[in-house]
Amino acid sequence: MVAETLSLAGKTALVTGSGRENGIGAAIARAFARNGASVAIHYVSENSKARAEKVAADIGREFGTKTTVVQGPVEKYGTGKRMVEQILQALDVDHIDILVNNAGFGGNVSLMEATPEQLEREFGVNTFGSIYLTQAVVGAGKMPKGGRIINTGSIASKLGLEISAVYSAAKAAQDSLTASWAGELGQSRGITVNTLAPGPIVTDLSKGFLEAADGSQTALQSAMFAQTRSEARLGTVEDMADAALLLASEKSRWITAQWISVSGGITGTM
């Protein structure tokens, strides 16, 4: 008897926001490549170019799978279609099987401090970006039956945290899109759509929320740590990557429209 696996051999994946070696996106891309998928690494600013290229090169060298690197602001309409066309050409494929909408942005901003620029940036990256990239991958990327869309959410969307109200609201909007798209794309195209919502994981994006300038725990990290029901630790990027691998595999074919907390058991009240 041959053991069952989570193989992604022959699949092509785009993981947005995957150009930082210590980030969730890079870990997910590595997990996919480790299991046979070709992966497209995405970054936004020129400052991240070298890091993204290194992520892609390291993945290709370690796992022997095809990689490519694409750049662009996901919140800008048209970026997604351009990136998809580049990926298809670079990897010599005619479709994309897996999309992970992982690119995200958030800041500490109170109600009275929120500006139009802040609102546009956070909703643009977290919400509009997911819309534009999904349109591009399903359309120009010709995502086939059995395709997988995974939105990287946040437990913040369920916690009502004062410190990140705008970010939480943008992620809550993304949660709603997950449920709606699952019905639209599932029945018509056979594509599953799910959200993976990480708890506290120290990355470039979350560090300001979880660590003080002196390296000590913030009040938020202490509160999250106290609510963790699993091990007495923070989450890791590998925790998210393994969950994404399951959702990307054939084994998840009957899992869709789900908001899945990858947090060691932290649950919200909404």
Side-chain angles (χ1 to χ4, degrees):
M1 181 184 297
V2 177
E4 296 183 77
T5 72
L6 300 178
S7 174
L8 300 179
K11 304 290 187 181
T12 298
L14 164 59
V15 184
T16 67
S18 53
R20 297 181 178 185
E21 64 281 354
N22 66 338
I24 289 172
I28 291 173
R30 286 179 57 82
F32 288 176
R34 186 174 68 243
N35 287 274
S38 299
V39 294
I41 303 300
H42 163 257
Y43 69 100
V44 178
S45 72
E46 281 296 322
N47 293 335
S48 300
K49 181 178 181 179
R51 294 174 73 177
E53 290 177 341
K54 185 177 187 303
V55 168
D58 288 347
I59 286 173
R61 181 169 54 253
E62 185 171 357
F63 304 115
T65 57
K66 289 183 178 180
T67 63
T68 190
V69 177
V70 290
Q71 178 189 15
V74 297
E75 69 273 23
K76 301 295 184 182
Y77 184 76
T79 296
K81 185 174 185 292
R82 173 180 56 78
M83 291 198 308
V84 165
E85 291 171 346
Q86 291 173 351
I87 292 165
L88 297 178
Q89 182 175 8
L91 297 179
D92 192 24
V93 293
D94 62 5
H95 68 272
I96 295 174
D97 301 278
I98 304 162
L99 168 64
V100 182
N101 284 311
N102 176 73
F105 174 78
N108 299 344
V109 58
S110 69
L111 168 64
M112 303 309 294
E113 295 172 337
T115 64
E117 293 76 18
Q118 182 86 16
L119 295 171
E120 290 169 6
R121 178 80 190 281
E122 296 202 26
F123 276 91
V125 174
N126 297 301
T127 309
F128 296 167
S130 296
I131 295 171
Y132 297 152
L133 264 294
T134 300
Q135 288 176 331
V137 170
V138 172
K142 300 175 182 170
M143 180 174 278
K145 181 178 180 180
R148 300 286 188 263
I149 297 170
I150 302 170
N151 292 325
T152 298
S154 171
I155 62 169
S157 70
K158 308 296 186 185
L159 294 176
L161 300 173
E162 296 175 14
I163 195 173
S164 59
V166 175
Y167 173 75
S168 299
K171 285 299 186 182
Q174 186 190 53
D175 296 344
S176 179
L177 292 171
T178 291
S180 299
W181 291 345
E184 179 179 352
L185 298 178
Q187 292 197 2
S188 65
R189 298 173 182 264
I191 294 169
T192 67
V193 189
N194 292 286
T195 289
L196 285 179
I201 296 173
V202 178
T203 64
D204 289 354
L205 178 62
S206 67
K207 190 171 183 178
F209 292 95
L210 299 174
E211 291 186 359
D214 62 3
S216 63
Q217 293 184 1
T218 62
L220 177 61
Q221 181 183 152
S222 298
M224 294 294 99
F225 193 87
Q227 294 180 55
T228 303
R229 291 174 168 84
S230 187
E231 298 179 47
R233 64 172 176 84
L234 293 176
T236 68
V237 294
E238 287 76 22
D239 292 329
M240 273 289 289
D242 287 343
L245 174 61
L246 173 61
L247 287 185
S249 77
E250 171 61 19
K251 300 301 182 185
S252 72
R253 60 190 174 275
W254 207 235
I255 303 172
T256 196
Q258 299 305 300
W259 184 90
I260 301 170
S261 174
V262 186
S263 64
I266 299 173
T267 55
T269 58
M270 300 191 305

